[in-house]
Amino acid sequence: MDTTASKTIKTLHFGEINVEPQHIFHFKEGMLGFENLKEFVLISEEETVPFKWLVSMDEPEIGFPLLSPWHIDLTYNPGKDIDAEKVVLFVVVTLDSSKGQMSANMKAPIILDVENQIGEQRILRSDKYSTNYIFPKKENV
C-alpha cells in the first residue's frame, strides 16, 4: 500500500474529499461496534462548528459526529491515564430525531494522538459518565 499518495473518498454529507496520508488516524482496535474499520479522517466544516466528523476511510458512508466533552461538561475528567495536553478528546454524539434529543457517549471518548496520527475509543473506568448523556434542552432565545 502506498502511504504517500492522497486518497479520494466519497462521503454522504461532504461529497468527494481528497485526504492526505498525514490526516488519516489509525485505530488499531477500530471503534466500538465498528472494530473492522481501522482508518478515519477528522473533518471540520464551518457550517457544523463546534461539531467535527470522524469518517471511515474504508467505508466513507460511515461517520460519527463528534464534540469536545468540555462543550458538554466543563468539569469533564477522563482520568489520570489520559494526558489531555498530548491528545485531543471527543465524544460521539447521537441525535434521536423522534424525541428531538441529542446525547453523547461521555463514557467512551475518542482519543486522537495528532502527533502520531493514532486514534482509539477508550471506555473510562469511572462510573461517573454515561454512554447516553442527554443534552439539556435549550430554551429559544
Side-chain angles (χ1 to χ4, degrees), residues 61-81:
E61 64 277 6
I62 296 176
F64 303 93
L66 304 181
L67 193 59
S68 166
W70 293 283
H71 271 91
I72 301 164
D73 179 355
L74 289 173
T75 64
Y76 186 75
N77 182 352
K80 293 179 179 141
D81 59 333

Side-chain angles (χ1 to χ4, degrees), residues 26-84:
H26 302 277
F27 282 69
K28 182 179 175 190
E29 306 294 326
M31 297 266 297
L32 297 175
F34 298 89
E35 289 80 6
N36 60 318
L37 303 178
K38 306 292 186 191
E39 294 188 334
F40 292 86
V41 61
L42 187 64
I43 298 175
S44 300
E45 283 290 315
E46 211 172 288
E47 298 84 40
T48 62
V49 168
F51 294 91
K52 295 190 185 299
W53 301 85
L54 193 64
V55 175
S56 168
M57 292 295 295
D58 302 311
E59 295 184 38
E61 64 277 6
I62 296 176
F64 303 93
L66 304 181
L67 193 59
S68 166
W70 293 283
H71 271 91
I72 301 164
D73 179 355
L74 289 173
T75 64
Y76 186 75
N77 182 352
K80 293 179 179 141
D81 59 333
I82 297 175
D83 186 349

Side-chain angles (χ1 to χ4, degrees), residues 76-128:
Y76 186 75
N77 182 352
K80 293 179 179 141
D81 59 333
I82 297 175
D83 186 349
E85 299 287 320
K86 294 185 178 180
V87 296
V88 180
L89 260 66
F90 292 101
V91 291
V92 176
V93 176
T94 305
L95 176 62
D96 181 346
S97 52
S98 67
K99 296 179 182 172
Q101 292 180 325
M102 277 196 304
S103 64
N105 184 345
M106 303 289 277
K107 177 82 173 171
I110 305 297
I111 303 164
L112 299 179
D113 176 342
V114 179
E115 189 175 316
N116 298 300
Q117 292 307 109
I118 296 171
E120 72 171 301
Q121 186 172 24
R122 187 181 302 172
I123 299 171
L124 302 180
R125 290 188 186 114
S126 168
D127 288 333
K128 181 177 178 182

